[in-house]
Coordinates of all heavy atoms in Angstrom, one line a residue:
R1 N 225.5 8.0 38.0 CA 225.2 8.9 39.0 C 223.8 8.8 39.4 O 222.9 8.6 38.5 CB 225.5 10.3 38.4 CG 226.1 11.3 39.3 CD 226.6 12.5 38.6 NE 225.6 13.4 38.7 CZ 225.7 14.6 38.1 NH1 226.8 15.0 37.5 NH2 224.7 15.6 38.2
I2 N 223.5 8.9 40.6 CA 222.1 8.8 41.1 C 221.7 10.1 41.8 O 222.5 10.7 42.5 CB 222.0 7.7 42.2 CG1 222.4 6.4 41.6 CG2 220.6 7.6 42.8 CD1 222.3 5.2 42.6
C3 N 220.5 10.5 41.3 CA 220.0 11.8 41.8 C 218.6 11.6 42.4 O 217.8 10.9 41.8 CB 220.0 12.8 40.6 SG 219.3 14.4 41.0
S4 N 218.3 12.3 43.5 CA 217.1 12.1 44.1 C 216.0 13.1 43.6 O 214.9 13.1 44.2 CB 217.1 12.1 45.7 OG 217.6 13.5 46.1
A5 N 216.4 13.9 42.7 CA 215.4 14.9 42.1 C 214.9 15.9 43.1 O 213.8 16.3 43.0 CB 214.3 14.2 41.3
G6 N 215.7 16.2 44.2 CA 215.3 17.3 45.1 C 214.5 16.8 46.3 O 214.4 17.6 47.2
K7 N 214.0 15.6 46.3 CA 213.2 15.2 47.4 C 213.9 14.0 48.0 O 214.4 13.1 47.4 CB 211.8 14.8 47.0 CG 211.0 16.0 46.5 CD 209.6 15.6 46.2 CE 208.8 16.8 45.7 NZ 207.4 16.6 45.4
E8 N 213.7 13.9 49.4 CA 214.3 12.8 50.1 C 213.2 11.9 50.6 O 213.0 11.8 51.8 CB 215.2 13.3 51.2 CG 216.4 14.2 50.8 CD 217.4 13.4 50.0 OE1 217.6 12.2 50.2 OE2 217.9 14.0 49.1
S9 N 212.5 11.2 49.8 CA 211.4 10.3 50.2 C 211.9 8.9 49.9 O 212.3 8.6 48.8 CB 210.2 10.7 49.5 OG 209.2 9.7 49.8
M10 N 211.6 7.9 50.8 CA 211.9 6.6 50.6 C 211.0 5.9 49.5 O 211.3 4.9 49.0 CB 211.9 5.8 51.9 CG 212.9 6.3 52.8 SD 214.6 6.2 52.2 CE 215.0 4.4 52.4
S11 N 209.8 6.5 49.3 CA 208.9 5.9 48.4 C 209.2 6.2 46.9 O 208.8 5.6 46.0 CB 207.4 6.4 48.7 OG 207.4 7.8 48.5
E12 N 210.1 7.2 46.7 CA 210.5 7.7 45.4 C 211.7 6.9 44.9 O 212.6 6.7 45.7 CB 210.7 9.2 45.2 CG 209.5 9.9 45.4 CD 209.8 11.4 45.3 OE1 210.7 11.8 44.5 OE2 209.1 12.3 45.8
K13 N 211.7 6.5 43.7 CA 212.9 5.8 43.1 C 213.9 6.8 42.7 O 213.5 7.8 42.1 CB 212.5 4.9 41.9 CG 211.6 3.7 42.4 CD 211.3 2.8 41.2 CE 210.4 1.7 41.6 NZ 210.1 0.8 40.6
P14 N 215.2 6.6 42.9 CA 216.2 7.5 42.5 C 216.2 7.6 41.0 O 216.0 6.6 40.2 CB 217.4 7.0 43.1 CG 217.2 5.6 43.3 CD 215.7 5.4 43.6
V15 N 216.5 8.8 40.4 CA 216.8 8.9 39.0 C 218.2 8.7 38.7 O 219.1 9.2 39.3 CB 216.4 10.4 38.6 CG1 216.6 10.5 37.1 CG2 214.9 10.6 38.9
I16 N 218.5 7.7 37.8 CA 219.8 7.4 37.4 C 220.1 8.2 36.1 O 219.5 8.0 35.1 CB 220.0 5.9 37.2 CG1 219.7 5.2 38.5 CG2 221.4 5.7 36.7 CD1 219.8 3.7 38.4
E17 N 221.1 9.1 36.2 CA 221.5 10.0 35.0 C 222.5 9.2 34.2 O 223.5 8.7 34.7 CB 222.0 11.3 35.5 CG 221.0 12.1 36.2 CD 221.6 13.4 36.7 OE1 222.8 13.7 36.4 OE2 220.9 14.2 37.4
K18 N 222.3 9.2 32.9 CA 223.3 8.7 32.0 C 224.5 9.6 31.8 O 224.2 10.8 31.7 CB 222.7 8.3 30.6 CG 221.8 7.2 30.6 CD 221.1 7.0 29.3 CE 221.8 7.3 28.1 NZ 221.1 7.0 26.8
P19 N 225.7 9.2 31.8 CA 226.8 10.1 31.5 C 226.7 10.7 30.1 O 226.2 10.0 29.2 CB 228.0 9.2 31.7 CG 227.6 7.8 31.6 CD 226.1 7.8 32.0
T20 N 227.2 11.9 29.9 CA 227.2 12.4 28.6 C 228.1 11.7 27.7 O 229.2 11.4 28.1 CB 227.6 13.9 28.7 OG1 226.7 14.6 29.6 CG2 227.6 14.6 27.3
R21 N 227.6 11.3 26.5 CA 228.4 10.6 25.6 C 228.5 11.3 24.3 O 227.6 12.0 23.9 CB 227.7 9.2 25.4 CG 228.6 8.3 24.7 CD 228.1 6.8 24.9 NE 228.9 6.1 23.9 CZ 228.4 5.6 22.8 NH1 227.2 5.7 22.5 NH2 229.2 4.9 21.9
I22 N 229.7 11.3 23.7 CA 229.9 12.0 22.5 C 230.0 11.0 21.3 O 230.7 10.0 21.4 CB 231.3 12.8 22.5 CG1 231.3 13.8 23.7 CG2 231.5 13.5 21.2 CD1 230.2 14.8 23.7
L23 N 229.2 11.3 20.3 CA 229.2 10.4 19.1 C 230.1 11.0 18.0 O 229.9 12.2 17.7 CB 227.8 10.2 18.6 CG 226.8 9.7 19.6 CD1 225.4 9.6 18.9 CD2 227.1 8.3 20.1
R24 N 230.9 10.2 17.4 CA 231.7 10.7 16.3 C 230.9 10.5 15.0 O 229.8 9.8 15.0 CB 233.0 9.9 16.2 CG 233.9 10.1 17.4 CD 234.4 11.5 17.6 NE 235.1 12.0 16.4 CZ 236.4 12.0 16.2 NH1 237.2 11.4 17.1 NH2 236.9 12.5 15.2
R25 N 231.3 11.2 13.9 CA 230.5 11.1 12.7 C 230.2 9.7 12.2 O 229.1 9.4 11.8 CB 231.1 12.0 11.6 CG 230.2 12.2 10.5 CD 230.8 12.9 9.3 NE 231.6 11.9 8.5 CZ 232.9 11.9 8.2 NH1 233.6 12.9 8.5 NH2 233.4 10.9 7.6
S26 N 231.3 8.9 12.3 CA 231.0 7.5 11.8 C 230.0 6.7 12.5 O 229.3 6.0 11.9 CB 232.4 6.7 11.8 OG 232.9 6.7 13.2
E27 N 229.9 7.0 13.8 CA 228.8 6.3 14.6 C 227.5 6.9 14.3 O 226.5 6.1 14.2 CB 229.1 6.5 16.1 CG 228.2 5.7 16.9 CD 228.6 5.6 18.4 OE1 229.7 6.1 18.8 OE2 227.8 5.0 19.1
I28 N 227.4 8.2 14.0 CA 226.1 8.7 13.6 C 225.7 8.2 12.2 O 224.5 7.8 12.0 CB 226.2 10.3 13.5 CG1 226.4 10.8 14.9 CG2 225.0 10.9 12.8 CD1 226.1 12.2 15.1
E29 N 226.6 8.1 11.3 CA 226.4 7.4 10.0 C 225.9 6.0 10.1 O 224.9 5.6 9.5 CB 227.6 7.5 9.2 CG 228.0 8.9 8.7 CD 229.3 8.9 7.9 OE1 229.9 7.8 7.7 OE2 229.7 10.0 7.5
S30 N 226.5 5.2 10.9 CA 226.1 3.8 11.1 C 224.8 3.6 11.9 O 224.0 2.8 11.5 CB 227.2 2.9 11.7 OG 227.5 3.3 13.0
R31 N 224.6 4.4 13.0 CA 223.5 4.2 13.8 C 222.2 4.7 13.2 O 221.1 4.2 13.3 CB 223.6 4.9 15.2 CG 224.5 4.0 16.1 CD 224.7 4.7 17.5 NE 223.5 5.1 18.2 CZ 223.5 5.6 19.4 NH1 224.7 5.9 19.9 NH2 222.4 5.9 20.0
F32 N 222.3 5.9 12.5 CA 221.1 6.5 12.0 C 221.0 6.5 10.4 O 220.0 7.1 9.9 CB 221.0 8.0 12.5 CG 221.1 8.0 14.0 CD1 222.2 8.5 14.6 CD2 220.0 7.5 14.8 CE1 222.3 8.5 16.0 CE2 220.1 7.6 16.2 CZ 221.2 8.0 16.8
G33 N 221.9 5.9 9.8 CA 221.8 5.8 8.3 C 222.0 7.1 7.5 O 221.5 7.2 6.4
L34 N 222.6 8.0 8.2 CA 222.9 9.4 7.5 C 224.3 9.4 7.0 O 225.2 8.8 7.6 CB 222.7 10.5 8.5 CG 221.3 10.6 9.1 CD1 221.3 11.7 10.2 CD2 220.3 11.0 8.1
K35 N 224.5 10.0 5.9 CA 225.8 10.2 5.3 C 226.4 11.5 5.7 O 225.7 12.5 6.1 CB 225.8 10.0 3.8 CG 225.5 8.6 3.4 CD 226.6 7.7 3.9 CE 226.3 6.3 3.4 NZ 227.2 5.3 4.0
R36 N 227.7 11.8 5.5 CA 228.4 13.0 5.9 C 227.7 14.2 5.4 O 227.4 15.2 6.0 CB 229.8 12.9 5.4 CG 230.6 14.1 5.7 CD 232.0 14.0 5.1 NE 232.8 15.2 5.4 CZ 232.7 16.3 4.7 NH1 231.9 16.4 3.7 NH2 233.4 17.3 5.1
S37 N 227.4 14.3 4.0 CA 226.9 15.4 3.4 C 225.5 15.7 4.0 O 225.1 16.9 4.2 CB 226.8 15.3 1.9 OG 226.0 14.1 1.5
T38 N 224.7 14.7 4.2 CA 223.3 14.9 4.8 C 223.4 15.4 6.2 O 222.6 16.3 6.5 CB 222.6 13.5 4.8 OG1 222.5 13.0 3.5 CG2 221.2 13.7 5.3
I39 N 224.3 14.9 7.0 CA 224.5 15.4 8.4 C 224.8 16.9 8.3 O 224.1 17.7 9.0 CB 225.6 14.7 9.1 CG1 225.2 13.2 9.3 CG2 225.9 15.3 10.4 CD1 226.3 12.3 9.8
Y40 N 225.8 17.3 7.5 CA 226.2 18.7 7.5 C 225.2 19.6 6.8 O 225.0 20.8 7.1 CB 227.6 18.9 6.9 CG 228.6 18.4 7.8 CD1 229.3 17.2 7.7 CD2 228.9 19.2 9.0 CE1 230.3 16.8 8.6 CE2 229.9 18.8 9.9 CZ 230.6 17.6 9.7 OH 231.5 17.2 10.7
D41 N 224.4 19.0 5.9 CA 223.3 19.8 5.3 C 222.2 20.2 6.3 O 221.8 21.3 6.4 CB 222.6 19.0 4.1 CG 223.4 19.1 2.8 OD1 224.4 19.8 2.7 OD2 223.1 18.2 2.0
H42 N 221.9 19.2 7.2 CA 220.9 19.4 8.2 C 221.5 20.4 9.3 O 220.8 21.2 9.8 CB 220.6 18.1 8.9 CG 219.5 17.3 8.2 ND1 218.2 17.7 8.0 CD2 219.6 16.1 7.6 CE1 217.6 16.8 7.3 NE2 218.4 15.8 7.0
V43 N 222.8 20.3 9.6 CA 223.4 21.2 10.6 C 223.3 22.6 10.0 O 222.9 23.5 10.7 CB 224.9 20.8 10.9 CG1 225.6 22.0 11.6 CG2 224.9 19.5 11.7
R44 N 223.6 22.8 8.7 CA 223.6 24.2 8.1 C 222.1 24.7 8.1 O 221.9 25.9 8.3 CB 224.1 24.2 6.7 CG 225.6 24.3 6.6 CD 226.0 24.6 5.2 NE 225.9 23.4 4.3 CZ 226.8 22.4 4.4 NH1 227.8 22.3 5.2 NH2 226.7 21.3 3.6
A45 N 221.2 23.8 8.0 CA 219.8 24.2 7.9 C 219.2 24.4 9.3 O 218.1 24.9 9.5 CB 219.0 23.2 7.1
G46 N 220.0 24.0 10.3 CA 219.5 24.2 11.7 C 218.5 23.1 12.1 O 217.8 23.3 13.1
T47 N 218.5 22.0 11.3 CA 217.5 20.9 11.7 C 218.2 19.7 12.3 O 217.6 18.7 12.5 CB 216.8 20.5 10.4 OG1 217.8 20.1 9.4 CG2 216.0 21.6 9.8
F48 N 219.5 19.8 12.6 CA 220.3 18.8 13.2 C 221.2 19.4 14.2 O 221.7 20.5 14.0 CB 221.1 17.9 12.2 CG 221.7 16.7 12.7 CD1 220.9 15.5 12.9 CD2 223.0 16.6 13.1 CE1 221.4 14.3 13.3 CE2 223.5 15.4 13.6 CZ 222.7 14.3 13.7
P49 N 221.4 18.8 15.4 CA 222.3 19.4 16.4 C 223.6 19.7 15.9 O 224.2 18.9 15.1 CB 222.4 18.4 17.5 CG 221.2 17.4 17.3 CD 220.9 17.5 15.8
P50 N 224.2 20.9 16.2 CA 225.6 21.2 15.7 C 226.6 20.3 16.5 O 226.4 19.9 17.6 CB 225.7 22.6 16.1 CG 224.8 22.8 17.2 CD 223.6 21.9 17.0
P51 N 227.7 20.1 15.8 CA 228.8 19.3 16.5 C 229.5 20.2 17.5 O 229.4 21.4 17.5 CB 229.7 18.9 15.3 CG 229.5 20.0 14.3 CD 228.1 20.4 14.4
I52 N 230.3 19.5 18.4 CA 231.1 20.2 19.3 C 232.6 20.0 18.9 O 232.9 18.9 18.4 CB 230.9 19.9 20.8 CG1 231.0 18.4 21.0 CG2 229.4 20.3 21.2 CD1 231.0 18.0 22.5
A53 N 233.4 20.9 19.1 CA 234.8 20.7 18.8 C 235.5 19.8 19.9 O 235.3 20.1 21.1 CB 235.6 22.0 18.8
L54 N 236.2 18.8 19.4 CA 236.9 17.9 20.4 C 238.4 18.2 20.3 O 239.1 17.8 21.2 CB 236.6 16.4 20.1 CG 235.2 16.0 20.1 CD1 235.0 14.6 19.6 CD2 234.6 16.2 21.5
G55 N 238.9 18.8 19.3 CA 240.2 19.1 19.1 C 240.4 19.9 17.8 O 239.4 20.4 17.3
A56 N 241.7 20.0 17.4 CA 241.9 20.9 16.2 C 241.2 20.4 14.9 O 240.8 21.2 14.1 CB 243.4 21.0 15.9
R57 N 241.1 19.1 14.8 CA 240.4 18.5 13.6 C 239.4 17.5 13.9 O 239.2 16.5 13.1 CB 241.6 17.9 12.7 CG 242.5 19.1 12.1 CD 243.5 18.4 11.3 NE 243.1 17.5 10.4 CZ 243.1 17.6 9.0 NH1 243.6 18.7 8.5 NH2 242.7 16.7 8.2
A58 N 238.9 17.5 15.1 CA 237.9 16.4 15.5 C 236.6 17.1 16.1 O 236.7 18.0 16.8 CB 238.6 15.5 16.5
V59 N 235.5 16.6 15.6 CA 234.2 17.0 16.2 C 233.4 15.8 16.6 O 233.7 14.7 16.2 CB 233.4 17.9 15.2 CG1 234.1 19.1 14.9 CG2 233.1 17.0 14.0
G60 N 232.4 16.0 17.4 CA 231.5 15.0 17.8 C 230.2 15.6 18.2 O 230.0 16.9 18.2
W61 N 229.2 14.8 18.4 CA 227.8 15.2 18.7 C 227.4 14.7 20.1 O 227.8 13.5 20.4 CB 226.8 14.8 17.6 CG 226.8 15.5 16.4 CD1 226.0 16.6 16.0 CD2 227.8 15.4 15.3 NE1 226.4 17.1 14.8 CE2 227.5 16.4 14.3 CE3 228.9 14.5 15.0 CZ2 228.2 16.5 13.1 CZ3 229.5 14.7 13.9 CH2 229.2 15.7 13.0
V62 N 226.7 15.4 20.9 CA 226.2 15.0 22.1 C 225.1 14.0 21.9 O 224.1 14.3 21.2 CB 225.7 16.2 23.0 CG1 225.1 15.7 24.3 CG2 226.8 17.2 23.2
E63 N 225.2 12.8 22.4 CA 224.4 11.7 22.1 C 222.9 12.1 22.5 O 222.0 11.8 21.6 CB 224.8 10.4 22.9 CG 223.9 9.3 22.6 CD 224.3 8.0 23.3 OE1 224.7 8.1 24.5 OE2 224.3 6.9 22.7
S64 N 222.6 12.7 23.6 CA 221.3 13.0 24.0 C 220.6 14.0 23.0 O 219.5 13.9 22.8 CB 221.3 13.6 25.4 OG 222.0 14.8 25.5
E65 N 221.4 14.9 22.5 CA 220.9 15.9 21.5 C 220.5 15.1 20.2 O 219.4 15.4 19.6 CB 221.9 17.0 21.2 CG 222.1 17.9 22.3 CD 223.1 18.9 22.0 OE1 223.8 18.9 21.0 OE2 223.4 19.8 23.0
V66 N 221.3 14.2 19.8 CA 221.0 13.4 18.5 C 219.8 12.5 18.8 O 218.9 12.4 17.9 CB 222.2 12.6 18.1 CG1 221.9 11.8 16.9 CG2 223.4 13.5 17.7
E67 N 219.7 11.9 20.0 CA 218.6 11.1 20.3 C 217.3 11.9 20.3 O 216.2 11.4 19.8 CB 218.8 10.3 21.6 CG 219.8 9.2 21.4 CD 220.1 8.5 22.7 OE1 219.7 9.0 23.8 OE2 220.7 7.4 22.7
S68 N 217.3 13.1 20.9 CA 216.1 14.0 20.8 C 215.8 14.3 19.4 O 214.6 14.4 19.1 CB 216.4 15.3 21.6 OG 216.6 15.0 23.0
W69 N 216.7 14.5 18.5 CA 216.4 14.9 17.1 C 215.7 13.6 16.5 O 214.7 13.9 15.8 CB 217.7 15.2 16.4 CG 217.5 15.4 14.9 CD1 217.1 16.6 14.4 CD2 217.7 14.5 13.8 NE1 217.0 16.5 13.0 CE2 217.4 15.2 12.7 CE3 218.1 13.2 13.8 CZ2 217.5 14.5 11.4 CZ3 218.2 12.5 12.5 CH2 217.9 13.3 11.4
I70 N 216.2 12.5 16.8 CA 215.6 11.3 16.2 C 214.2 11.1 16.7 O 213.2 10.9 16.0 CB 216.4 10.0 16.5 CG1 217.7 10.0 15.8 CG2 215.6 8.7 16.3 CD1 217.5 9.9 14.3
A71 N 214.0 11.3 18.0 CA 212.6 11.2 18.6 C 211.7 12.3 18.0 O 210.5 11.9 17.7 CB 212.7 11.4 20.2
S72 N 212.2 13.5 17.7 CA 211.3 14.5 17.1 C 210.9 14.1 15.6 O 209.8 14.3 15.2 CB 211.9 15.8 17.1 OG 213.0 15.9 16.3
R73 N 211.9 13.4 14.9 CA 211.6 12.9 13.6 C 210.5 11.8 13.6 O 209.6 11.8 12.8 CB 212.8 12.5 12.9 CG 214.0 13.5 12.7 CD 213.7 14.4 11.6 NE 213.7 13.7 10.3 CZ 214.1 14.2 9.2 NH1 214.7 15.3 9.2 NH2 214.1 13.4 8.1
I74 N 210.7 11.0 14.6 CA 209.7 9.9 14.7 C 208.3 10.5 15.0 O 207.3 10.1 14.4 CB 210.1 8.9 15.8 CG1 211.4 8.1 15.3 CG2 209.0 7.9 16.1 CD1 212.0 7.3 16.4
A75 N 208.3 11.4 16.0 CA 207.0 12.0 16.4 C 206.4 12.7 15.2 O 205.2 12.7 15.0 CB 207.2 12.9 17.5
A76 N 207.2 13.4 14.4 CA 206.6 14.2 13.3 C 206.1 13.3 12.2 O 205.2 13.7 11.5 CB 207.7 15.1 12.7
S77 N 206.6 12.0 12.2 CA 206.2 11.1 11.1 C 204.9 10.4 11.5 O 204.3 9.7 10.6 CB 207.3 10.1 10.7 OG 207.5 9.2 11.8
R78 N 204.5 10.5 12.7 CA 203.3 9.7 13.2 C 202.0 10.6 13.2 O 202.2 11.8 13.5 CB 203.5 9.3 14.6 CG 204.7 8.3 14.8 CD 204.5 7.0 14.1 NE 205.6 6.2 14.4 CZ 206.5 5.7 13.5 NH1 206.5 6.1 12.3 NH2 207.4 4.8 13.9
P79 N 201.0 10.1 12.7 CA 199.7 10.9 12.7 C 199.3 11.2 14.1 O 199.4 10.4 15.0 CB 198.7 10.1 12.0 CG 199.2 8.7 12.0 CD 200.7 8.8 12.2
T80 N 198.8 12.4 14.3 CA 198.3 12.7 15.6 C 196.8 12.4 15.7 O 196.0 12.6 14.7 CB 198.4 14.3 15.9 OG1 197.7 15.0 14.8 CG2 199.9 14.6 16.0
S81 N 196.3 11.9 16.8 CA 194.9 11.5 17.0 C 194.2 12.6 17.8 O 194.8 13.1 18.8 CB 194.8 10.1 17.6 OG 195.5 10.1 18.8
A82 N 193.0 12.9 17.4 CA 192.3 13.9 18.1 C 191.5 13.4 19.3 O 191.4 12.3 19.7 CB 191.2 14.5 17.2

């Protein structure tokens, strides 16, 4: 999807929005090195995005929320310069 961010100027580049993608637990485990118990411990503590229900016995996570969580972990691990 292409969005012009509210302005119709030829000098501005259009913003291309990524479609929302749902990650299943196995993909989170393999991409981020987290195990099932760790994921759910973080969810209970409020430090990891909660899953969304996909069906009666299926859940997934919004990829952009998980990527934001990873980015915040990276930022928190880096020293801030004055």
